[in-house]
Coordinates of all heavy atoms in Angstrom, one line a residue:
M169 N 124.3 94.8 108.5 CA 123.5 95.0 107.3 C 122.0 95.1 107.6 O 121.3 95.9 107.0 CB 123.8 93.8 106.4 CG 123.1 93.9 105.0 SD 123.7 92.7 103.8 CE 123.0 91.2 104.4
L170 N 121.5 94.2 108.5 CA 120.1 94.3 108.8 C 119.7 95.6 109.4 O 118.6 96.1 109.1 CB 119.7 93.1 109.7 CG 119.8 91.7 109.0 CD1 119.4 90.7 110.1 CD2 118.8 91.6 107.9
A171 N 120.5 96.2 110.2 CA 120.2 97.5 110.8 C 120.2 98.5 109.8 O 119.3 99.4 109.8 CB 121.3 97.8 111.9
D172 N 121.0 98.5 108.8 CA 121.0 99.4 107.7 C 119.7 99.3 106.9 O 119.1 100.3 106.5 CB 122.2 99.3 106.7 CG 123.5 99.7 107.4 OD1 123.5 100.5 108.4 OD2 124.6 99.3 106.8
Y173 N 119.3 98.0 106.6 CA 118.1 97.8 105.9 C 116.9 98.4 106.6 O 116.0 99.0 106.1 CB 117.9 96.3 105.7 CG 116.6 96.0 104.8 CD1 116.7 95.9 103.5 CD2 115.4 95.7 105.5 CE1 115.6 95.6 102.7 CE2 114.3 95.4 104.7 CZ 114.4 95.4 103.3 OH 113.2 95.1 102.6
Q174 N 116.8 98.1 108.0 CA 115.7 98.6 108.8 C 115.7 100.1 108.8 O 114.6 100.7 108.9 CB 115.8 97.9 110.2 CG 115.5 96.5 110.1 CD 115.8 95.8 111.5 OE1 116.5 96.3 112.3 NE2 115.3 94.5 111.6
A175 N 116.8 100.7 108.8 CA 116.9 102.2 108.8 C 116.4 102.8 107.5 O 115.8 103.9 107.4 CB 118.3 102.6 109.0
L176 N 116.5 102.0 106.4 CA 116.1 102.5 105.1 C 114.7 102.2 104.7 O 114.1 103.0 104.0 CB 117.0 101.9 104.0 CG 118.5 102.4 103.9 CD1 119.3 101.5 103.0 CD2 118.5 103.8 103.6
F177 N 114.1 101.1 105.2 CA 112.8 100.7 104.8 C 111.8 100.7 106.0 O 112.2 100.4 107.1 CB 112.9 99.3 104.1 CG 113.7 99.3 102.9 CD1 115.0 98.9 102.9 CD2 113.1 99.7 101.7 CE1 115.7 99.0 101.7 CE2 113.8 99.7 100.5 CZ 115.2 99.4 100.5
A178 N 110.5 100.9 105.7 CA 109.5 100.9 106.7 C 109.2 99.5 107.2 O 109.7 98.5 106.6 CB 108.2 101.4 106.1
D179 N 108.6 99.4 108.4 CA 108.3 98.1 109.0 C 107.4 97.2 108.1 O 107.5 96.0 108.3 CB 107.5 98.3 110.3 CG 108.5 98.9 111.4 OD1 109.7 98.9 111.2 OD2 107.9 99.5 112.4
N180 N 106.6 97.8 107.2 CA 105.8 96.9 106.3 C 106.6 96.5 105.1 O 106.0 96.0 104.1 CB 104.5 97.7 105.9 CG 104.8 98.9 105.1 OD1 105.9 99.3 104.8 ND2 103.7 99.5 104.6
T181 N 107.9 96.6 105.1 CA 108.7 96.1 104.0 C 109.8 95.1 104.5 O 111.0 95.4 104.6 CB 109.5 97.4 103.4 OG1 108.5 98.4 103.2 CG2 110.1 97.0 102.1
P182 N 109.3 93.9 104.9 CA 110.3 93.0 105.5 C 111.3 92.5 104.5 O 111.0 92.4 103.3 CB 109.4 91.8 106.0 CG 108.2 91.9 105.1 CD 108.0 93.4 104.8
L183 N 112.4 92.1 104.9 CA 113.5 91.5 104.1 C 113.0 90.1 103.6 O 112.5 89.3 104.4 CB 114.8 91.4 104.9 CG 116.0 90.9 104.2 CD1 116.4 91.8 103.1 CD2 117.1 90.7 105.2
E184 N 113.1 89.9 102.3 CA 112.7 88.6 101.8 C 114.0 87.7 101.6 O 115.0 88.2 101.1 CB 112.1 88.8 100.4 CG 110.8 89.6 100.5 CD 109.6 88.7 100.5 OE1 109.6 87.6 100.1 OE2 108.5 89.3 101.0
N185 N 114.0 86.5 102.0 CA 115.1 85.6 101.8 C 114.5 84.3 101.1 O 114.1 83.4 101.8 CB 115.7 85.2 103.2 CG 117.0 84.4 103.0 OD1 117.5 84.3 102.0 ND2 117.4 83.8 104.1
L186 N 114.6 84.3 99.8 CA 114.0 83.2 99.0 C 114.9 82.0 99.0 O 116.1 82.1 99.0 CB 113.8 83.6 97.6 CG 112.8 84.8 97.4 CD1 112.7 85.2 95.9 CD2 111.4 84.5 97.9
A187 N 114.3 80.8 99.0 CA 115.0 79.5 98.8 C 115.5 79.5 97.4 O 115.0 80.1 96.5 CB 114.1 78.4 99.1
Q188 N 116.5 78.6 97.1 CA 117.1 78.5 95.8 C 116.0 78.1 94.8 O 116.0 78.7 93.6 CB 118.2 77.4 95.8 CG 119.4 77.8 96.5 CD 120.2 78.9 95.7 OE1 119.8 79.4 94.7 NE2 121.4 79.1 96.2
A189 N 115.1 77.2 95.1 CA 114.0 76.8 94.2 C 113.1 78.0 93.8 O 112.7 78.2 92.7 CB 113.2 75.7 94.7
A190 N 112.8 78.9 94.8 CA 112.0 80.0 94.6 C 112.7 81.1 93.7 O 112.1 81.7 92.9 CB 111.5 80.7 95.9
I191 N 114.0 81.2 93.9 CA 114.8 82.1 93.0 C 114.8 81.6 91.6 O 114.6 82.4 90.6 CB 116.2 82.2 93.6 CG1 116.2 82.9 94.9 CG2 117.1 83.0 92.6 CD1 117.5 82.9 95.6
G192 N 114.9 80.3 91.4 CA 114.8 79.7 90.0 C 113.5 80.0 89.4 O 113.4 80.4 88.2
T193 N 112.4 79.8 90.1 CA 111.1 80.1 89.6 C 110.9 81.6 89.2 O 110.4 81.9 88.2 CB 110.0 79.7 90.7 OG1 110.1 78.3 90.9 CG2 108.6 80.0 90.2
E194 N 111.4 82.4 90.1 CA 111.4 83.9 89.8 C 112.1 84.2 88.5 O 111.6 85.0 87.7 CB 112.0 84.6 91.0 CG 112.0 86.1 90.8 CD 110.6 86.8 90.9 OE1 109.7 86.2 91.4 OE2 110.6 88.0 90.5
L195 N 113.3 83.6 88.3 CA 114.1 83.9 87.1 C 113.4 83.4 85.9 O 113.4 84.0 84.8 CB 115.5 83.3 87.3 CG 116.4 84.0 88.3 CD1 117.7 83.3 88.5 CD2 116.6 85.5 88.0
Q196 N 112.7 82.2 86.0 CA 112.0 81.7 84.9 C 110.8 82.6 84.5 O 110.5 82.8 83.3 CB 111.5 80.3 85.2 CG 112.6 79.2 85.2 CD 112.1 77.9 85.7 OE1 111.1 77.8 86.4 NE2 112.8 76.8 85.3
R197 N 110.1 83.1 85.5 CA 108.9 84.0 85.3 C 109.4 85.2 84.6 O 108.8 85.7 83.7 CB 108.2 84.3 86.6 CG 107.4 83.2 87.2 CD 106.9 83.6 88.5 NE 106.1 82.6 89.1 CZ 105.8 82.6 90.4 NH1 106.2 83.5 91.2 NH2 105.0 81.6 90.9
R198 N 110.5 85.8 85.1 CA 111.0 87.0 84.5 C 111.4 86.8 83.1 O 111.2 87.7 82.2 CB 112.2 87.6 85.4 CG 111.8 88.1 86.7 CD 113.0 88.7 87.4 NE 112.6 89.0 88.8 CZ 113.2 89.9 89.5 NH1 114.3 90.5 89.0 NH2 112.8 90.2 90.7
A199 N 112.1 85.7 82.8 CA 112.5 85.5 81.4 C 111.3 85.3 80.5 O 111.3 85.9 79.4 CB 113.4 84.2 81.4
A200 N 110.3 84.6 80.9 CA 109.1 84.5 80.1 C 108.4 85.8 79.9 O 108.0 86.1 78.8 CB 108.1 83.5 80.7
W201 N 108.4 86.6 80.9 CA 107.7 88.0 80.8 C 108.5 88.8 79.8 O 108.0 89.5 79.0 CB 107.6 88.6 82.2 CG 107.1 90.0 82.1 CD1 107.7 91.1 82.4 CD2 105.7 90.4 81.8 NE1 106.9 92.2 82.3 CE2 105.6 91.8 81.9 CE3 104.6 89.6 81.4 CZ2 104.5 92.5 81.6 CZ3 103.4 90.4 81.1 CH2 103.4 91.7 81.2
Q202 N 109.8 88.9 80.0 CA 110.7 89.7 79.1 C 110.5 89.2 77.6 O 110.5 90.0 76.7 CB 112.1 89.6 79.5 CG 112.4 90.3 80.8 CD 112.1 91.8 80.7 OE1 112.3 92.5 79.7 NE2 111.5 92.4 81.8
A203 N 110.5 87.9 77.4 CA 110.3 87.4 76.0 C 108.9 87.8 75.5 O 108.8 88.2 74.3 CB 110.4 85.9 76.0
A204 N 107.9 87.8 76.3 CA 106.6 88.2 75.8 C 106.6 89.7 75.5 O 106.0 90.2 74.5 CB 105.5 87.9 76.9
L205 N 107.2 90.5 76.3 CA 107.3 92.0 76.0 C 108.1 92.2 74.7 O 107.7 93.0 73.9 CB 108.0 92.7 77.2 CG 107.2 92.9 78.5 CD1 108.1 93.5 79.6 CD2 106.0 93.8 78.2
A206 N 109.3 91.6 74.6 CA 110.1 91.8 73.5 C 109.4 91.4 72.2 O 109.7 92.0 71.1 CB 111.4 91.0 73.6
S207 N 108.6 90.4 72.2 CA 107.9 89.9 71.0 C 106.6 90.7 70.7 O 105.9 90.5 69.8 CB 107.5 88.5 71.1 OG 106.6 88.2 72.1
G208 N 106.3 91.7 71.6 CA 105.1 92.6 71.4 C 103.8 91.9 71.6 O 102.8 92.3 71.1
K209 N 103.8 90.8 72.5 CA 102.6 90.1 72.7 C 101.9 90.4 74.0 O 101.1 89.6 74.5 CB 102.9 88.6 72.7 CG 103.4 88.1 71.3 CD 103.7 86.7 71.2 CE 104.1 86.3 69.8 NZ 104.4 84.9 69.7
V210 N 102.2 91.6 74.6 CA 101.6 92.0 75.8 C 100.8 93.3 75.5 O 101.3 94.2 74.8 CB 102.7 92.3 76.9 CG1 102.0 92.9 78.2 CG2 103.4 91.0 77.3
T211 N 99.6 93.3 76.0 CA 98.8 94.6 76.0 C 98.3 94.9 77.3 O 98.0 94.0 78.1 CB 97.6 94.5 75.0 OG1 96.7 93.5 75.5 CG2 98.1 94.2 73.6
A212 N 98.2 96.2 77.6 CA 97.7 96.6 78.9 C 97.0 98.0 78.7 O 97.5 98.8 78.0 CB 98.8 96.7 79.9
Y213 N 95.9 98.2 79.4 CA 95.2 99.4 79.3 C 94.4 99.6 80.6 O 94.1 98.7 81.3 CB 94.4 99.6 78.1 CG 93.3 98.5 77.9 CD1 92.0 98.7 78.4 CD2 93.6 97.3 77.3 CE1 91.1 97.7 78.2 CE2 92.6 96.3 77.1 CZ 91.4 96.6 77.6 OH 90.4 95.6 77.5
R214 N 94.1 100.9 80.8 CA 93.2 101.3 82.0 C 92.1 102.1 81.5 O 92.2 103.0 80.7 CB 94.1 102.1 83.0 CG 93.3 102.5 84.2 CD 94.1 103.3 85.1 NE 93.3 103.9 86.2 CZ 93.7 104.6 87.2 NH1 95.0 104.8 87.3 NH2 92.9 105.0 88.1
V215 N 90.9 101.7 81.9 CA 89.7 102.5 81.7 C 89.0 102.7 83.1 O 88.6 101.7 83.7 CB 88.7 101.7 80.7 CG1 87.4 102.5 80.6 CG2 89.3 101.5 79.4
G216 N 89.0 103.9 83.5 CA 88.5 104.2 84.8 C 89.3 103.6 85.9 O 90.5 103.8 85.9
N217 N 88.7 102.8 86.7 CA 89.5 102.1 87.8 C 89.7 100.6 87.4 O 90.1 99.8 88.3 CB 88.7 102.2 89.1 CG 87.5 101.4 89.1 OD1 86.9 101.1 88.1 ND2 87.0 101.0 90.3
T218 N 89.6 100.3 86.1 CA 89.8 98.9 85.7 C 91.1 98.8 84.8 O 91.2 99.5 83.9 CB 88.6 98.3 84.9 OG1 87.5 98.4 85.7 CG2 88.8 96.9 84.5
V219 N 92.0 97.9 85.2 CA 93.2 97.6 84.5 C 93.1 96.3 83.8 O 92.8 95.3 84.5 CB 94.5 97.7 85.4 CG1 95.7 97.3 84.6 CG2 94.6 99.1 86.0
T220 N 93.4 96.2 82.5 CA 93.3 94.9 81.8 C 94.7 94.6 81.2 O 95.2 95.5 80.5 CB 92.2 95.0 80.8 OG1 91.0 95.3 81.4 CG2 92.0 93.6 80.0
I221 N 95.2 93.4 81.4 CA 96.5 93.0 80.9 C 96.3 91.7 80.2 O 95.8 90.7 80.8 CB 97.5 92.9 82.0 CG1 97.6 94.2 82.8 CG2 98.9 92.7 81.4 CD1 98.3 94.1 84.1
T222 N 96.9 91.6 79.0 CA 96.9 90.3 78.3 C 98.3 89.9 78.0 O 99.2 90.8 77.7 CB 96.1 90.3 77.0 OG1 96.7 91.2 76.1 CG2 94.6 90.6 77.2
A223 N 98.6 88.6 78.0 CA 99.9 88.1 77.6 C 99.7 86.7 77.1 O 98.6 86.2 77.2 CB 100.8 88.0 78.9
P224 N 100.7 86.1 76.4 CA 100.6 84.8 75.9 C 100.1 83.8 77.0 O 100.5 83.9 78.1 CB 102.0 84.5 75.4 CG 102.6 85.8 75.1 CD 102.1 86.7 76.1
S225 N 99.3 82.8 76.6 CA 98.8 81.8 77.5 C 100.0 81.2 78.3 O 101.0 80.9 77.7 CB 98.1 80.7 76.7 OG 97.6 79.7 77.6
G226 N 99.8 81.1 79.6 CA 100.8 80.5 80.5 C 101.9 81.5 81.0 O 102.6 81.2 81.9
T227 N 101.9 82.7 80.4 CA 102.8 83.7 80.9 C 102.2 84.4 82.1 O 101.1 85.0 82.1 CB 103.1 84.8 79.8 OG1 103.6 84.1 78.6 CG2 104.1 85.8 80.3
Q228 N 103.0 84.4 83.2 CA 102.5 85.1 84.4 C 102.9 86.6 84.3 O 103.9 86.9 83.7 CB 103.2 84.5 85.6 CG 102.6 83.1 85.8 CD 103.0 82.5 87.2 OE1 103.4 83.2 88.1 NE2 102.9 81.2 87.3
I229 N 102.1 87.4 84.8 CA 102.2 88.9 84.7 C 102.5 89.5 86.0 O 101.8 89.4 87.0 CB 100.8 89.4 84.2 CG1 100.4 88.7 82.9 CG2 100.8 90.9 84.0 CD1 98.9 88.9 82.5
P230 N 103.7 90.2 86.0 CA 104.1 90.9 87.3 C 103.3 92.2 87.5 O 103.3 93.0 86.6 CB 105.6 91.2 87.1 CG 105.7 91.3 85.6 CD 104.7 90.4 85.0
V231 N 102.6 92.3 88.7 CA 101.8 93.5 88.9 C 102.1 93.9 90.4 O 102.1 93.1 91.3 CB 100.3 93.2 88.8 CG1 99.5 94.4 89.1 CG2 100.0 92.7 87.3
T232 N 102.2 95.2 90.5 CA 102.2 95.9 91.8 C 101.1 96.9 91.7 O 101.1 97.7 90.8 CB 103.5 96.5 92.1 OG1 104.6 95.5 92.2 CG2 103.5 97.3 93.5
A233 N 100.2 96.9 92.7 CA 99.0 97.7 92.6 C 98.7 98.3 94.0 O 99.2 97.8 95.0 CB 97.8 96.9 92.1
P234 N 97.8 99.3 94.1 CA 97.5 99.9 95.4 C 96.8 98.9 96.3 O 96.1 97.9 95.8 CB 96.5 101.0 95.0 CG 96.7 101.3 93.6 CD 97.2 100.0 93.0
E235 N 96.9 99.0 97.6 CA 96.2 98.2 98.6 C 94.7 98.4 98.2 O 94.2 99.5 97.9 CB 96.5 98.7 100.0 CG 95.9 97.9 101.1 CD 96.4 96.5 101.1 OE1 97.6 96.3 101.1 OE2 95.6 95.5 101.0
G236 N 93.9 97.3 98.3 CA 92.5 97.3 98.0 C 92.2 96.9 96.6 O 91.0 96.8 96.3
T237 N 93.2 96.6 95.8 CA 93.0 96.1 94.5 C 92.3 94.7 94.5 O 92.7 93.9 95.3 CB 94.3 96.1 93.7 OG1 94.8 97.4 93.6 CG2 94.1 95.5 92.3
K238 N 91.4 94.5 93.6 CA 90.7 93.2 93.5 C 90.9 92.7 92.1 O 90.9 93.4 91.1 CB 89.2 93.4 93.7 CG 88.8 94.0 95.1 CD 88.9 93.0 96.1 CE 88.4 93.6 97.4 NZ 88.5 92.7 98.5
Q239 N 91.0 91.3 92.0 CA 91.0 90.7 90.7 C 89.6 90.3 90.3 O 88.9 89.7 91.1 CB 91.9 89.5 90.7 CG 92.0 88.8 89.3 CD 93.0 87.7 89.3 OE1 93.8 87.4 90.2 NE2 93.0 87.0 88.1
Q240 N 89.2 90.7 89.1 CA 87.9 90.3 88.5 C 87.9 88.9 88.2 O 88.7 88.4 87.4 CB 87.6 91.2 87.3 CG 86.2 91.0 86.8 CD 85.1 91.4 87.7 OE1 85.1 92.5 88.2 NE2 84.2 90.5 88.0
L241 N 87.0 88.2 88.7 CA 86.7 86.8 88.3 C 85.5 86.7 87.4 O 84.9 87.7 87.2 CB 86.5 85.9 89.6 CG 87.6 86.0 90.7 CD1 87.2 85.3 91.9 CD2 88.9 85.6 90.2
L242 N 85.2 85.5 86.9 CA 84.1 85.3 86.1 C 82.8 85.8 86.9 O 81.9 86.5 86.3 CB 83.9 83.9 85.6 CG 83.0 83.6 84.5 CD1 83.3 84.5 83.3 CD2 82.9 82.2 84.2
L243 N 82.8 85.3 88.1 CA 81.7 85.7 89.0 C 82.3 86.4 90.3 O 82.8 85.7 91.1 CB 80.8 84.5 89.4 CG 80.1 83.8 88.3 CD1 79.5 82.5 88.8 CD2 79.1 84.7 87.6
G244 N 82.2 87.7 90.4 CA 82.7 88.4 91.6 C 84.2 88.8 91.5 O 84.8 88.8 90.4
T245 N 84.8 89.0 92.6 CA 86.2 89.5 92.7 C 86.9 88.8 93.9 O 86.2 88.2 94.7 CB 86.3 91.0 92.9 OG1 85.7 91.4 94.1 CG2 85.7 91.8 91.7
T246 N 88.2 88.9 93.9 CA 89.0 88.4 95.0 C 90.1 89.4 95.2 O 90.5 90.1 94.3 CB 89.5 87.0 94.8 OG1 90.1 86.5 96.0 CG2 90.6 86.9 93.6
T247 N 90.6 89.5 96.5 CA 91.7 90.3 96.8 C 92.9 89.9 95.9 O 93.3 88.7 95.9 CB 92.1 90.3 98.3 OG1 90.9 90.7 99.0 CG2 93.3 91.2 98.6
F248 N 93.6 90.9 95.3 CA 94.7 90.6 94.5 C 96.0 90.6 95.2 O 96.3 91.5 96.1 CB 94.8 91.6 93.3 CG 96.1 91.4 92.5 CD1 96.1 90.4 91.5 CD2 97.2 92.2 92.6 CE1 97.2 90.1 90.8 CE2 98.3 91.9 91.9 CZ 98.3 90.9 91.0
G249 N 96.9 89.7 95.0 CA 98.3 89.7 95.4 C 98.5 89.6 96.9 O 97.6 89.3 97.7
T250 N 99.7 89.9 97.3 CA 100.2 89.8 98.7 C 100.6 91.2 99.1 O 101.2 92.0 98.4 CB 101.4 88.9 98.8 OG1 101.1 87.6 98.3 CG2 101.9 88.8 100.2
A251 N 100.2 91.6 100.3 CA 100.6 92.9 100.9 C 102.1 93.0 101.1 O 102.7 92.1 101.6 CB 99.8 93.1 102.2
Y252 N 102.6 94.1 100.6 CA 104.1 94.4 100.8 C 104.3 95.9 100.6 O 104.0 96.4 99.6 CB 104.9 93.6 99.8 CG 106.4 93.7 100.1 CD1 107.0 92.8 101.1 CD2 107.2 94.6 99.5 CE1 108.3 93.0 101.4 CE2 108.5 94.8 99.8 CZ 109.1 93.9 100.8 OH 110.5 94.0 101.1
A253 N 104.8 96.5 101.6 CA 105.2 97.9 101.6 C 104.0 98.8 101.3 O 104.1 99.8 100.5 CB 106.3 98.1 100.6
G254 N 102.8 98.5 101.8 CA 101.6 99.3 101.6 C 101.0 99.1 100.2 O 100.1 99.8 99.9
R255 N 101.4 98.1 99.5 CA 100.8 97.8 98.1 C 100.5 96.3 98.1 O 100.8 95.6 99.0 CB 101.8 98.2 97.0 CG 102.0 99.7 97.0 CD 102.6 100.1 95.7 NE 102.6 101.6 95.6 CZ 103.6 102.4 95.8 NH1 104.8 101.9 96.2 NH2 103.5 103.7 95.7
R256 N 99.9 95.9 96.9 CA 99.7 94.5 96.7 C 100.5 94.1 95.5 O 100.6 94.8 94.5 CB 98.2 94.3 96.3 CG 97.2 94.8 97.3 CD 97.1 94.2 98.6 NE 96.8 92.7 98.6 CZ 96.7 92.0 99.7 NH1 96.8 92.6 100.9 NH2 96.4 90.7 99.6
S257 N 101.2 93.0 95.5 CA 102.0 92.5 94.4 C 101.9 91.0 94.2 O 101.7 90.3 95.2 CB 103.4 93.0 94.5 OG 104.0 92.4 95.6
A258 N 102.0 90.6 93.0 CA 102.0 89.2 92.6 C 102.3 89.0 91.2 O 102.3 89.9 90.4 CB 100.6 88.6 92.9
W259 N 102.6 87.7 90.9 CA 102.6 87.3 89.5 C 101.2 86.8 89.2 O 100.8 85.8 89.7 CB 103.6 86.2 89.3 CG 105.1 86.6 89.3 CD1 105.9 86.6 90.4 CD2 105.8 87.1 88.2 NE1 107.1 87.1 90.0 CE2 107.1 87.4 88.7 CE3 105.5 87.3 86.9 CZ2 108.1 87.9 87.9 CZ3 106.5 87.8 86.1 CH2 107.8 88.1 86.5
G260 N 100.5 87.6 88.4 CA 99.1 87.2 88.2 C 98.9 86.5 86.8 O 99.7 86.6 85.9
T261 N 97.7 85.8 86.8 CA 97.3 85.2 85.5 C 95.8 85.4 85.4 O 95.1 85.7 86.4 CB 97.6 83.7 85.6 OG1 96.9 83.1 86.7 CG2 99.0 83.3 85.6
P262 N 95.3 85.3 84.2 CA 93.8 85.5 84.0 C 93.1 84.4 84.9 O 93.6 83.3 85.0 CB 93.6 85.3 82.5 CG 94.9 85.6 81.9 CD 95.9 85.2 82.9
A263 N 91.9 84.8 85.4 CA 91.1 83.8 86.1 C 90.5 82.8 85.2 O 90.6 82.9 83.9 CB 90.0 84.5 86.9
A264 N 90.0 81.7 85.7 CA 89.4 80.6 84.9 C 88.4 81.2 83.9 O 87.6 82.1 84.2 CB 88.7 79.6 85.8
L265 N 88.5 80.7 82.7 CA 87.6 81.1 81.6 C 87.8 82.6 81.1 O 86.9 83.1 80.5 CB 86.2 80.8 81.9 CG 85.8 79.3 82.3 CD1 84.4 79.2 82.7 CD2 86.2 78.4 81.1
Q266 N 88.9 83.2 81.5 CA 89.2 84.6 81.1 C 90.5 84.6 80.3 O 91.4 83.8 80.5 CB 89.3 85.5 82.3 CG 88.0 85.6 83.1 CD 88.1 86.5 84.3 OE1 89.2 86.5 84.9 NE2 87.1 87.2 84.6
S267 N 90.6 85.6 79.3 CA 91.7 85.7 78.5 C 92.7 86.8 78.9 O 93.7 87.0 78.3 CB 91.3 85.9 77.0 OG 90.6 87.0 76.9
A268 N 92.3 87.6 79.9 CA 93.1 88.7 80.4 C 93.0 88.8 81.9 O 92.1 88.3 82.5 CB 92.5 90.0 79.8
L269 N 94.1 89.3 82.5 CA 94.1 89.6 83.9 C 93.4 91.0 84.1 O 93.8 92.0 83.5 CB 95.5 89.7 84.4 CG 95.7 90.1 85.9 CD1 95.1 89.1 86.8 CD2 97.2 90.3 86.2
T270 N 92.3 91.0 84.8 CA 91.5 92.2 85.0 C 91.5 92.6 86.5 O 91.1 91.8 87.3 CB 90.1 92.0 84.5 OG1 90.1 91.6 83.1 CG2 89.3 93.3 84.6
L271 N 92.0 93.8 86.7 CA 92.1 94.3 88.1 C 91.2 95.5 88.3 O 91.1 96.4 87.5 CB 93.5 94.6 88.5 CG 94.5 93.5 88.3 CD1 95.9 94.0 88.5 CD2 94.2 92.4 89.2
K272 N 90.5 95.6 89.5 CA 89.7 96.7 89.9 C 90.5 97.5 90.9 O 90.7 97.0 92.0 CB 88.4 96.2 90.4 CG 87.5 95.4 89.5 CD 87.0 96.3 88.4 CE 86.0 95.5 87.6 NZ 85.4 96.3 86.5
L273 N 90.9 98.7 90.6 CA 91.6 99.5 91.5 C 90.7 100.1 92.5 O 89.5 100.4 92.2 CB 92.4 100.6 90.8 CG 93.4 100.1 89.7 CD1 94.0 101.3 89.0 CD2 94.5 99.2 90.3
P274 N 91.2 100.4 93.7 CA 90.3 101.0 94.8 C 89.9 102.5 94.4 O 90.6 103.1 93.6 CB 91.2 101.0 96.0 CG 92.6 100.8 95.6 CD 92.5 100.2 94.2

């Protein structure tokens, strides 16, 4: 099975093997995200190279973005997410004192 996986995916796409607790957390995040979408409480838009996403307080936002994406903080930026398969991905939340997740694309 691992040989088949390696034949299908690039070296920068390692196989993930999550612990049971991490799988539970993932399922909780997905359920909360789906509920926010279903209730119409998510907005997202792009202006130029800036993407802005809002969701109900406490809802984590799943994002996959190009390598080089930065999260806008109140003062400055930070690298967004974790590198995987040539992109950056994470469950994001607005930075301190912000009401939206704001990303600067490369």
Side-chain angles (χ1 to χ4, degrees):
M169 181 169 73
L170 290 176
D172 289 344
Y173 183 89
Q174 291 170 344
L176 290 171
F177 296 97
D179 290 341
N180 65 353
T181 313
L183 183 62
E184 298 263 340
N185 186 16
L186 300 176
Q188 290 286 10
I191 293 169
T193 299
E194 179 71 17
L195 292 173
Q196 289 173 337
R197 288 175 179 164
R198 288 181 187 204
W201 177 248
Q202 289 301 319
L205 286 173
S207 66
K209 295 182 179 177
V210 174
T211 62
Y213 58 92
R214 177 179 174 177
V215 176
N217 70 337
T218 302
V219 174
T220 304
I221 308 164
T222 62
S225 180
T227 303
Q228 294 191 14
I229 303 165
V231 178
T232 299
E235 186 63 53
T237 297
K238 303 283 186 182
Q239 181 173 353
Q240 183 67 51
L241 306 175
L242 194 58
L243 298 172
T245 62
T246 189
T247 300
F248 176 77
T250 303
Y252 187 84
R255 296 197 167 99
R256 309 289 302 180
S257 64
W259 285 95
T261 56
L265 304 175
Q266 294 178 327
S267 60
L269 175 64
T270 304
L271 302 173
K272 301 287 187 181
L273 304 175

